[in-house]
Amino acid sequence: MEKVRYLVATGVLAVMATGAATTARAEVSLFEQKTDASEFENWLRGTTLAGHIEGGISANPARPDNGINFGNFIGDHANQPQLNQFSLKLARPVDTSGGYSFGFTLEASYGSDSRYYHLLGISDRALNSRYQIIPAQAHVDAHLPWFTKLGVEMHAGILQAPMGPEAFDPSARPFYTFSYTGEYSVPFEHVGMMATIHVSPMIDVLTGIDTGNQTTFGRSDNNDEPAGYAGIALNNLADGKLTITELSRFGPENSRRVLGNREANSAMRFWNDIMAVYQVTPTVTLTGEFNYLHDDGLRADAESFVSYLSWKFAPEFTFNYRGEIYRDNTGQLVSNALTDEGYMNGVAGRSTPVESAPPTTYGALTLGVTWRKALTKDLGYFAIRPEVRFDRSLNGTTPFNDGRNSGMFTFGGDMMIGF
């Protein structure tokens, strides 16, 4: 079962990236349906258990002195293999075809990726090593026949952020590494509520409210104000081949430790993301993403464009391309934490060592192939995703390889087992 992203377009990208349409992740029903069971027992028997294990490496021939591939979170440690994720998910999906339906999603993840997806006050102090543990998702889900004939999908609890095409779940994105936009210009995780109102088969209205990006409540919120989402998804355009999603987020996101209470609670951050997914043929998909972020408190902004192409050229093979231009206008957004707890210390406003760069326009090109094989006809998969990537400063700065170079070449990838 793919991660709940609440956006139709992301599901399209996940399928085109991994070939999941024919080798979907295994979902094991924990119970069998019985005609003589109570309604609650039959509801409980819809529960499924799924999981995956992922490990990878991002090799850098330049061997940076500090061991960091600058501008990368997931593949940040140069030339070092790592266990990225070991995840288990227990879920009861909702039925969206009729009246009231209720479910839940519980997912825990352990590995190096978890260093960047913590929630303040819940998991950020659980472990301080390179491999850490998080509640990747923990929410109740509902389909409610409200407002329109098609109803509303609601999710409340610990939610993975819906913005952008690159998901925490590695099987739901095309590459091992992330784009700059997917790391620095979209949020990661929330405590709150999100809803999709199905106005018509063509139009969905997206909305939500939460405590902030990777924060919770009270002293575990880096300021005292909420944040939220508003957007729209246009589905089934161009004879069902095109989906366009616009999603905006707004609210204070900076820490009172950095700006003081008054400014931290009033300085707004605006995130804006537009994504279009076009199914050219049954085997070729194009995706484009434009993103603009502005932060009043940091007096920082960034704009970017990312293009993707996916070509499933054989039943078990998919070629993927990603090209990106990302402008960090002040040099305050693109940075790397130099300790295992550094990223979340930064979210909390605590002092932490980081590697940063001056204002830079980044260009990045990533090419890869996914080989994905079903382990049995209906249960499980094995996937290998080699990739090559070239990053370069387009305005003459030298942010890469511990500040030595204007460009950086990396290669590697990951392996996944889904069950």
Side-chain angles (χ1 to χ4, degrees):
M1 175 180 179
E2 298 297 349
K3 159 184 159 179
V4 177
R5 293 288 284 175
Y6 318 115
L7 300 182
V8 174
T10 304
V12 174
L13 182 62
V15 170
M16 71 90 173
T18 63
T22 56
T23 56
R25 166 179 299 178
E27 291 182 357
V28 179
S29 178
L30 301 184
F31 309 95
E32 293 183 1
Q33 295 284 351
K34 293 183 178 180
T35 57
D36 60 346
S38 69
E39 185 176 346
F40 175 74
E41 287 175 319
N42 280 330
W43 177 88
L44 189 62
R45 289 186 178 99
T47 302
T48 61
L49 178 65
H52 64 264
I53 301 173
E54 180 212 14
I57 186 172
S58 188
N60 185 339
R63 299 181 179 273
D65 295 336
N66 60 5
I68 297 296
N69 290 327
F70 182 75
N72 286 266
F73 285 165
I74 302 308
D76 58 350
H77 282 63
N79 307 310
Q80 296 183 35
Q82 54 193 359
L83 170 66
N84 290 91
Q85 296 184 24
F86 172 46
S87 293
L88 290 173
K89 179 164 62 176
L90 186 69
R92 203 294 179 185
V94 298
D95 181 358
T96 62
S97 62
Y100 290 94
S101 179
F102 300 92
F104 65 88
T105 303
L106 301 173
E107 182 179 8
S109 184
Y110 171 81
S112 60
D113 293 1
S114 296
R115 291 172 297 149
Y116 297 102
Y117 280 79
H118 282 297
L119 289 166
L120 289 177
I122 292 182
S123 57
D124 61 312
R125 296 295 189 177
L127 298 172
N128 59 9
S129 63
R130 182 175 177 186
Y131 295 150
Q132 301 182 25
I133 189 167
I134 59 168
Q137 300 183 77
H139 49 85
V140 293
D141 309 314
H143 173 78
L144 306 172
W146 295 353
F147 307 131
T148 72
K149 292 181 179 180
L150 298 176
V152 180
E153 314 302 327
M154 299 190 69
H155 314 272
I158 296 175
L159 305 166
Q160 293 180 351
M163 185 176 288
E166 297 188 343
F168 175 69
D169 182 345
S171 69
R173 63 177 191 262
F175 294 101
Y176 173 54
T177 60
F178 278 70
S179 64
Y180 289 92
T181 304
E183 293 175 318
Y184 299 106
S185 287
V186 301
F188 284 173
E189 196 163 12
H190 306 300
V191 173
M193 180 181 70
M194 295 180 186
T196 300
I197 304 170
H198 302 296
V199 178
S200 72
M202 181 177 292
I203 301 174
D204 291 334
V205 173
L206 314 168
T207 186
I209 186 169
D210 55 71
T211 59
N213 182 38
Q214 300 182 265
T215 66
T216 55
F217 297 96
R219 299 184 67 180
S220 295
D221 191 352
N222 57 8
N223 57 61
D224 300 320
E225 298 296 328
Y229 288 94
I232 188 170
L234 302 177
N235 312 301
N236 303 310
L237 305 176
D239 296 324
K241 295 182 177 181
L242 175 64
T243 299
I244 299 175
T245 303
E246 191 285 327
L247 194 59
S248 295
R249 176 173 173 81
F250 37 84
E253 296 285 0
N254 293 300
S255 172
R256 62 176 70 90
R257 289 188 175 97
V258 176
L259 300 182
N261 285 335
R262 182 175 179 179
E263 189 171 359
N265 290 330
S266 61
M268 298 286 284
R269 180 177 297 179
F270 301 93
W271 329 54
N272 302 279
D273 193 89
I274 300 176
M275 180 172 62
V277 180
Y278 185 69
Q279 192 79 37
V280 182
T281 72
T283 60
V284 177
T285 304
L286 293 175
T287 301
E289 178 188 18
F290 174 77
N291 185 285
Y292 174 71
L293 180 150
H294 175 77
D295 190 296
D296 287 336
L298 298 177
R299 294 174 176 80
D301 55 12
E303 53 269 350
S304 62
F305 177 75
V306 196
S307 58
Y308 301 84
L309 181 145
S310 172
W311 174 32
K312 189 173 182 180
F313 61 90
E316 296 172 356
F317 289 89
T318 302
F319 168 79
N320 286 301
Y321 150 91
R322 179 179 63 203
E324 180 178 25
I325 296 178
Y326 184 95
R327 172 65 183 176
D328 181 359
N329 285 313
T330 64
Q332 298 183 74
L333 298 177
V334 178
S335 62
N336 276 77
L338 298 180
T339 63
D340 291 329
E341 296 179 282
Y343 176 83
M344 286 309 296
N345 283 334
V347 172
R350 295 186 286 262
S351 177
T352 186
V354 299
E355 180 183 18
S356 58
T360 298
T361 301
Y362 298 89
L365 173 66
T366 311
L367 302 175
V369 174
T370 297
W371 175 72
R372 180 169 172 143
K373 175 72 173 179
L375 298 180
T376 67
K377 181 177 180 180
D378 300 310
L379 182 64
Y381 69 88
F382 176 72
I384 300 176
R385 295 190 300 184
E387 70 172 58
V388 294
R389 174 169 174 162
F390 183 67
D391 296 67
R392 186 171 182 82
S393 165
L394 302 180
N395 66 323
T397 61
T398 57
F400 302 108
N401 300 325
D402 205 13
R404 300 196 313 259
N405 302 120
S406 59
M408 179 178 68
F409 172 74
T410 57
F411 63 95
D414 61 353
M415 293 187 295
M416 292 179 284
I417 297 176
F419 50 89

